[in-house]
């Protein structure tokens, strides 16, 4: 009887894994009819997304507000230091892999290009100055309503710093206590929603497999191979660097990454993976909650190593597909543009069309081949999201280690903590 209970009482990770394979098989067998299930998957995504802005803002405000401004400055410096290092390295890795594997060579144009073609009009003319200005909102409520992550994070940083000064000057913590309570309530909402995540993931994957099948992957296999190889190389190299600096065993990382990696792969969203990532960073990797709450939202929006690799590969694909030979200067520009786009990338599924169009027009490349990339964006999104989420944790570990907020006993499973 006890063995039956164990079988029925599966962990959430196991349930998600079963739902992943079940959705793929079901969609492949049933076919287009599986798209009827998409509405349930979309409901799951919306239930998560409705709380993300509140989670991000409250977490950042609390992380900054209950520490000294010096703590925030130290955490911010070391967080952005590693974000820049990982993002630039990933982008250059994309250049090397794309140059040798040549994802756009020998790929035939897919049918119905005219039906799905993306034109330059899909992207509004946006200068670098406008992009930077957009990071600083004139109306925080408008930014919250439109899920503009970067402006919300910048506002939260200023709010947290000002609140820390207020607490230091008056000794009153009523605002901090209230926002901390809001944060805990939002975390509880998301934990409750995550209980139905296997159902949502099953429906989403059934829809993708049923409507697209696997034929759409065939003409893009080289593009996906680059993302897979890039993910493996980055996680191995960055993982070893982090383990060496933090003085821990890197062989323990894969098991600790399992749950958040599965969610990242199946939802293709860093925002939806955020609650699980922040919790596991504390209870599995030994990072203090102060550091996790600070680095988690920031790295979600700005540490986009997977996006950097994907963006550079997309530029090479579009150029090679169109018969354009990139010069060394253009390759450097590809790295710079890809990294800049990572800072404001949409962290939910569907943002690739804007990013790829922006990159193509900025590089002066034809747009007709973008339809091929968008056709398998869900699949490429799996690999770049996995990379983004897992490397976010490595950033948190490095920051925590640098400011003495890293607990090796938790990492080594000698101590249990709660989030």
């Amino acid at each position: 009887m006890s063995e039956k209970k164990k079988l029925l009482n599966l962990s959430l990770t196991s349930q998600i894994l079963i739902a992943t394979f079940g959705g793929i098989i079901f969609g492949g067998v049933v076919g287009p009819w599986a798209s009827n299930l998409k509405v349930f998957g979309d409901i799951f995504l919306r239930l998560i997304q409705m709380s993300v802005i509140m989670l991000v803002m409250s977490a950042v405000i609390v992380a900054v507000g209950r520490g000294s401004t010096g703590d925030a400055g130290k955490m911010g410096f070391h967080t952005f230091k590693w974000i820049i290092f990982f993002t630039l390295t990933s982008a250059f890795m994309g250049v090397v892999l794309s140059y040798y594997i040549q994802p756009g060579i020998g790929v035939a144009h897919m049918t119905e290009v005219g039906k799905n073609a993306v034109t330059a009009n899909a992207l509004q003319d946006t200068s670098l100055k406008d992009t930077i200005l957009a990071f600083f909102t004139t109306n925080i409520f408008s930014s919250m309503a439109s899920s503009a992550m970067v402006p919300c994070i910048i506002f939260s940083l200023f709010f947290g710093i000002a609140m820390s000064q207020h607490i230091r000057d008056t000794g009153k913590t009523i605002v901090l206590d209230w926002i901390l309570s809001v944060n805990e309530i939002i975390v509880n909402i998301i934990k409750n929603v995550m209980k139905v995540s296997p159902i949502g993931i099953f429906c989403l994957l059934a829809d993708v497999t049923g409507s697209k099948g696997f034929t759409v992957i065939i003409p893009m296999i080289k593009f996906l191979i680059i993302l897979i190889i890039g993910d493996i190389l980055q996680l191995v190299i960055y993982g070893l660097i982090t383990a060496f600096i933090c003085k821990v065993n890197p062989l323990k990382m894969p098991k600790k990454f399992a749950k958040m990696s599965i969610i990242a792969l199946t939802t293709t969203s860093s925002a939806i993976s955020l609650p699980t990532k922040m919790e596991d960073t504390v209870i599995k990797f030994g990072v203090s909650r102060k550091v996790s709450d600070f680095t988690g939202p920031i790295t979600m929006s700005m540490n986009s190593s997977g996006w950097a690799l994907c963006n550079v590969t997309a530029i090479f694909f579009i150029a090679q597909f169109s018969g354009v030979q990139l010069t060394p200067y253009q390759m450097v520009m590809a790295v710079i543009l890809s990294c800049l786009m990572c800072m404001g990338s949409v962290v939910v599924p569907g943002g690739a069309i804007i990013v790829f169009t922006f990159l193509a027009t900025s590089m002066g490349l034809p747009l007709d081949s973008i339809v091929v990339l968008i056709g398998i964006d869900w699949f490429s999104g799996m690999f770049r999201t996995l990379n983004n989420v897992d490397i976010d944790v490595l950033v948190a570990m490095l920051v925590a280690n640098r400011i003495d907020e890293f607990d090796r006993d938790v990492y080594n499973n000698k101590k249990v903590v709660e989030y």
Side-chain angles (χ1 to χ4, degrees):
M1 186 72 178
S2 60
E3 290 185 4
K4 287 184 178 180
K5 285 185 178 179
K6 287 182 180 179
L7 289 173
L8 293 174
N9 191 25
L10 294 172
S11 67
L12 182 61
T13 302
S14 299
Q15 293 177 44
I16 291 173
L17 193 60
I18 292 171
T20 299
F21 288 105
I24 291 172
I25 294 171
F26 182 84
V29 172
V30 174
W33 183 89
S35 62
N36 293 312
L37 300 178
K38 186 175 184 293
V39 63
F40 300 106
D42 288 340
I43 290 173
F44 163 67
L45 294 180
R46 291 189 177 208
L47 288 174
I48 292 290
Q49 290 168 337
M50 72 178 181
S51 303
V52 166
I53 284 289
M54 290 296 294
L55 175 68
V56 168
M57 294 186 69
S58 61
V60 172
I61 290 171
V62 170
V64 176
R66 64 181 173 187
S68 66
T69 53
D71 287 339
K74 289 178 183 178
M75 285 193 290
F77 172 76
H78 293 296
T79 298
F80 286 105
K81 175 183 70 178
W82 287 110
I83 285 175
I84 293 169
F85 172 76
F86 287 144
T87 304
L88 282 173
T89 304
S90 299
F92 279 109
M93 191 179 294
V95 171
V96 174
L97 291 173
S98 299
Y99 182 80
Y100 285 103
I101 297 177
Q102 297 186 325
I105 300 297
V107 179
H109 287 259
M110 295 177 66
T111 58
E112 298 187 27
V113 170
K115 179 181 178 181
N116 301 302
V118 181
T119 66
N121 293 329
L123 182 73
Q124 295 180 350
D125 293 331
T126 305
S127 66
L128 178 59
K129 180 186 73 174
D130 293 333
T131 301
I132 294 174
L133 282 175
F135 293 164
F136 302 90
T137 183
T138 58
N139 186 332
I140 187 59
F141 298 104
S142 174
S143 297
M144 292 171 66
S146 60
S147 297
M149 288 293 181
V150 176
C152 288
I153 289 175
I154 291 175
F155 174 85
S156 299
L157 287 170
F158 277 101
F159 191 99
I161 292 170
M163 186 171 68
S164 178
Q165 294 170 336
H166 172 74
I167 294 171
R168 186 177 65 250
D169 294 339
T170 66
K172 297 178 181 179
T173 62
I174 184 171
V175 177
L176 173 62
D177 294 337
W178 183 81
I179 296 177
L180 179 59
S181 296
V182 170
N183 177 259
E184 292 172 348
I185 292 169
I186 295 297
V187 169
N188 287 336
I189 290 174
I190 293 176
K191 284 182 178 179
N192 290 331
V193 173
M194 285 304 297
K195 292 178 181 178
V196 300
S197 60
I199 298 174
I201 289 169
F202 176 91
C203 294
L204 288 170
L205 288 177
D207 167 59
V208 171
T209 310
S211 60
K212 296 183 182 297
F214 294 101
T215 56
V216 72
I217 301 179
I218 296 174
M220 286 295 298
I221 192 66
K222 289 198 289 184
F223 183 87
L224 295 175
I225 284 175
I226 289 178
L227 299 187
I228 294 171
I229 294 174
D231 274 12
I232 294 172
L233 286 175
Q234 289 180 76
L235 291 175
V236 169
I237 295 171
Y238 301 162
L240 290 174
I241 291 173
T242 303
F244 176 77
I245 293 175
C246 296
K247 298 180 176 61
V248 294
N249 183 359
L251 297 179
K252 293 184 178 182
M253 287 184 181
K255 184 177 180 180
K256 296 177 183 292
F257 277 127
K259 183 179 176 181
M260 69 181 77
S261 297
I262 292 172
I263 292 174
L265 280 168
T266 52
T267 64
T268 70
S269 172
S270 296
I272 292 171
S273 305
L274 177 64
T276 301
K277 178 190 73 176
M278 291 173 66
E279 181 179 13
D280 285 1
T281 299
V282 174
I283 67 175
K284 294 182 180 179
F285 288 87
V287 175
S288 72
R289 180 163 181 178
K290 179 175 80 171
V291 174
S292 178
D293 284 355
F294 182 87
T295 62
I298 292 174
T299 53
M300 178 194 69
S301 291
M302 297 186 178
N303 179 53
S304 299
S305 301
W307 258 116
L309 174 71
C310 184
N311 287 345
V312 170
T313 306
I315 290 174
F316 272 81
F317 174 85
I318 296 168
Q320 292 166 358
F321 185 96
S322 307
V324 177
Q325 185 70 36
L326 294 177
T327 65
Y329 169 77
Q330 288 176 312
M331 292 182 189
V332 172
M333 284 301 299
V335 170
I336 294 173
L337 286 171
S338 296
C339 292
L340 284 174
M341 285 305 295
C342 288
M343 296 180 65
S345 294
V346 181
V347 292
V348 293
I353 182 172
I354 300 299
V355 175
F356 293 156
T357 306
F358 175 87
L359 293 172
T361 52
S362 298
M363 297 290 294
L365 298 172
L367 297 170
D368 57 344
S369 59
I370 292 178
V371 66
V372 183
L373 296 177
I374 295 170
I376 62 156
D377 180 58
W378 193 91
F379 298 100
S380 59
M382 291 170 58
F383 303 117
R384 63 176 179 256
T385 306
L386 168 68
N387 195 300
N388 291 345
V389 171
D390 288 357
I391 293 176
D392 287 353
V393 177
L394 300 181
V395 173
M397 289 177 65
L398 290 163
V399 173
N401 180 72
R402 187 65 178 81
I403 63 173
D404 297 324
E405 293 283 344
F406 181 63
D407 194 330
R408 289 177 182 79
D409 287 338
V410 174
Y411 182 91
N412 292 320
N413 303 318
K414 295 179 180 180
K415 179 180 176 182
V416 177
V417 296
E418 294 183 357
Y419 179 74

